[in-house]
Amino acid sequence: MNKDNYSKRLMSNMEINTHNHLVIDGVDTIDLVDKYGTPLNVYDISLIKEKINTFKEAFKNYENKTQVAYASKAFSSLALYEILAKEDVSLDVVSGGELFLAIQAGFPKERIHFHGNNKSYDELNTAIQENIGCIVIDNFYEIDMVEELTNKHHQVMDVLIRVAPGVEAHTHEYITTGQADSKFGFDLASGQVEKAIAKIKSADNINSIGLHAHIGSQIFEVDGYQVVIEKLLAKAKEWKKTFGFNLDVLNVGGGFGIRYTEADTPLPLDDYAEAIMNAVRKQAKLNELALPEIWIEPGRSIVGEAGTSLYTVGSQKNIPAIRKYVSVDGGMADNIRPALYQAEYTGVLANRVNENSEEKVSIAGKACESGDMLIWDITLPQPTQKDVLAIFSTGAYGYSMASNYNRLPRPAVVFVEKGKDFLAIKRETVQDFLKLENSIENW
Ligand code: PLP
């Protein structure tokens, strides 16, 4: 493979320096490996800020307010929350743990939205006591708890009603039938949303501000969003008449696609924003509704491409005429996506980016599972022990889904920005395992 082909494989935020090393936002990844070891997760903070800004800019010409709420589940850390607080975005949390970390980071509480299909009484209690911006209410059990808690604390809480709209989008397809079968939200087709609206209306301290729907992930087309907007605004017109329901806010969730490999051709982020705004304008006019605020909840599209995983190459197994396995010092414990849903990635040897001595290999993780494969069939300069493999676009649902399977400590997380690096999350050590353990000597 010549230089040009390799360059094409790099992500937009990457360069190669004179040592033939991979450079991310001005930082030599091999220097990072020398300093912090591997496996290492590197986040390009400039790119994260750029993605946020693209969404915010794209919504600027909308006639009402808009909110971009980063979906924390993609990746959360104290330092990231601190950075996001300054970027003037909102935050989507899905557990007491994410809420706790956001509060610890000093994230403005009024910009926090709380999601989840089984929020506990304690989690809701904290959210209400902390007076966060809004709760995305998911089910009848939750309405009861929020009613009890808001009455107890004499506090009004804004809520969005999560709707299961019967539209599911994934990559290039959206499906409008059968997708009511979801654990999230109130089912639109069977009238659950109407019951939820009526129940919320009768609660003294719950203030419904609008509707929420999230239709899927890694979506490369805009039609799924357009269909759900059409459905929800038509219903909003109906509910305005029947319940006096006001659609002040329409939250269309996240799901905007990113580039994992050369095969992925996501839309520019502003195209999604443009399509969403236009669909809302059109449907609001058609249904004689005031333009609602538009909220979105991108996770993957904010942090996915900004994340790179660095691993050290170890053992190799060559099966003649079948395959060469190259093992690295991480795998499914720090990135479950390939094992969980056959996610595909690409990458380069970070210490030898451009070389012609290429061969096709498969990248194996170190967990004791045959399914722990990070990449099947990738062409790299013949990898040798101690080479550093960089896997691209691992920033979303990698570290946040990491486990201690096989008692593998979780990697360190480093932020880079304009030539500077910062250790955001320390590497876990085997000593950390002991924190939660109890010896039977104490029994
Ligand atoms: N909002 C909700 C309700 C979600 O369930 C998810 C992801 O599953 C997101 C936002 C973020 O999606 P993505 O990371 O694909 O943008």
Side-chain angles (χ1 to χ4, degrees), residues 59 62-68 248-250 291-295:
F59 279 122
Y62 186 61
E63 297 78 354
N64 196 347
K65 289 184 194 152
T66 57
Q67 272 195 47
V68 178
D248 296 323
V249 174
L250 178 69
L291 279 183
E293 288 184 25
I294 298 175
W295 295 7

Side-chain angles (χ1 to χ4, degrees), residues 71 73 92 115 162 212 214 217 254-256 297-300 397:
K73 61 169 84 168
D92 185 21
H115 262 288
R162 177 149 185 181
H212 173 285
H214 170 80
S217 63
F256 314 108
E297 295 169 343
R300 187 189 315 269
Y397 308 103

Side-chain angles (χ1 to χ4, degrees), residues 13-240:
N13 60 332
M14 296 173 174
E15 290 165 341
I16 307 164
N17 66 14
T18 49
H19 303 294
N20 203 7
H21 292 176
L22 180 70
V23 174
I24 303 175
D25 205 2
V27 179
D28 184 326
T29 53
I30 302 308
D31 289 345
L32 292 176
V33 169
D34 290 343
K35 193 164 167 186
Y36 301 108
T38 57
L40 187 67
N41 289 354
V42 181
Y43 280 88
D44 178 345
I45 299 302
S46 300
L47 191 60
I48 291 178
K49 290 180 181 173
E50 187 187 309
K51 302 277 180 190
I52 290 171
N53 215 37
T54 306
F55 275 127
K56 281 185 8 195
E57 282 295 315
F59 279 122
K60 272 215 165 122
N61 66 1
Y62 186 61
E63 297 78 354
N64 196 347
K65 289 184 194 152
T66 57
Q67 272 195 47
V68 178
Y70 169 65
S72 293
K73 61 169 84 168
F75 169 65
S76 61
S77 87
L78 190 80
L80 181 70
Y81 285 155
E82 288 169 340
I83 290 169
L84 295 176
K86 291 193 189 138
E87 288 304 298
D88 193 26
V89 278
S90 299
L91 196 68
D92 185 21
V93 299
V94 294
S95 73
E98 288 181 353
L99 179 58
F100 169 78
L101 204 59
I103 290 170
Q104 291 298 306
F107 197 91
K109 293 170 191 170
E110 66 282 5
R111 285 178 9 215
I112 300 179
H113 314 155
F114 190 14
H115 262 288
N117 65 304
N118 192 22
K119 304 174 189 81
S120 72
Y121 188 85
D122 285 349
E123 288 175 322
L124 290 168
N125 191 33
T126 308
I128 289 164
Q129 276 190 310
E130 295 287 352
N131 200 11
I132 66 162
C134 114
I135 292 177
V136 184
I137 224 150
D138 197 278
N139 53 70
F140 294 105
Y141 178 49
E142 191 179 327
I143 300 179
D144 287 340
M145 288 193 282
V146 173
E147 185 174 10
E148 186 189 320
L149 285 161
T150 49
N151 291 344
K152 184 172 144 193
H153 296 298
H154 307 291
Q155 197 182 318
V156 177
M157 176 53 69
D158 285 348
V159 301
L160 283 176
I161 300 170
R162 177 149 185 181
V163 178
V167 178
E168 193 189 58
H170 187 71
T171 309
H172 292 291
E173 289 162 22
Y174 74 87
I175 308 158
T176 47
T177 53
Q179 298 307 318
D181 189 359
S182 159
K183 74 169 182 173
F184 295 108
F186 298 96
D187 179 45
L188 187 63
S190 63
Q192 287 180 2
V193 186
E194 283 86 344
K195 285 195 189 117
I197 294 173
K199 200 166 160 59
I200 288 168
K201 280 231 156 248
S202 72
D204 289 337
N205 291 318
I206 310 184
N207 180 36
S208 153
I209 55 170
L211 301 173
H212 173 285
H214 170 80
I215 56 169
S217 63
Q218 189 61 347
I219 300 169
F220 285 177
E221 309 283 345
V222 295
D223 15 359
Y225 296 100
Q226 289 164 335
V227 170
V228 85
I229 290 165
E230 186 181 334
K231 267 190 156 187
L232 291 185
L233 267 68
K235 283 289 180 188
K237 178 184 184 180
E238 197 182 307
W239 298 332
K240 193 176 172 192

Side-chain angles (χ1 to χ4, degrees), residues 190-378:
S190 63
Q192 287 180 2
V193 186
E194 283 86 344
K195 285 195 189 117
I197 294 173
K199 200 166 160 59
I200 288 168
K201 280 231 156 248
S202 72
D204 289 337
N205 291 318
I206 310 184
N207 180 36
S208 153
I209 55 170
L211 301 173
H212 173 285
H214 170 80
I215 56 169
S217 63
Q218 189 61 347
I219 300 169
F220 285 177
E221 309 283 345
V222 295
D223 15 359
Y225 296 100
Q226 289 164 335
V227 170
V228 85
I229 290 165
E230 186 181 334
K231 267 190 156 187
L232 291 185
L233 267 68
K235 283 289 180 188
K237 178 184 184 180
E238 197 182 307
W239 298 332
K240 193 176 172 192
K241 283 195 194 121
T242 43
F243 299 102
F245 175 82
N246 281 332
L247 185 71
D248 296 323
V249 174
L250 178 69
N251 186 330
V252 294
F256 314 108
I258 68 163
R259 180 177 187 250
Y260 283 101
T261 70
E262 300 98 293
D264 296 324
T265 50
L267 294 174
L269 296 183
D270 29 14
D271 283 14
Y272 293 101
E274 198 65 38
I276 289 167
M277 280 189 292
N278 285 337
V280 172
R281 286 183 184 118
K282 182 175 163 196
Q283 296 304 326
K285 196 167 173 202
L286 209 68
N287 292 292
E288 296 162 337
L289 295 168
L291 279 183
E293 288 184 25
I294 298 175
W295 295 7
I296 57 166
E297 295 169 343
R300 187 189 315 269
S301 53
I302 303 289
V303 294
E305 292 176 7
T308 305
S309 299
L310 301 176
Y311 301 100
T312 301
V313 171
S315 66
Q316 305 197 8
K317 175 180 176 181
N318 192 13
I319 314 167
I322 297 185
R323 163 181 318 280
K324 185 169 186 178
Y325 287 90
V326 172
S327 294
V328 294
D329 57 352
M332 65 189 291
D334 61 85
N335 185 358
I336 190 72
R337 295 187 70 256
L340 190 63
Y341 29 73
Q342 291 74 54
E344 291 183 7
Y345 288 93
T346 189
V348 294
L349 289 185
N351 56 327
R352 297 164 52 209
V353 185
N354 275 329
E355 272 186 30
N356 287 325
S357 57
E358 15 168 277
E359 64 174 340
K360 202 206 272 181
V361 297
S362 290
I363 307 297
K366 72 176 269 132
C368 199
E369 291 284 335
S370 300
D372 184 16
M373 294 295 299
L374 286 171
I375 302 178
W376 292 101
D377 296 335
I378 178 172

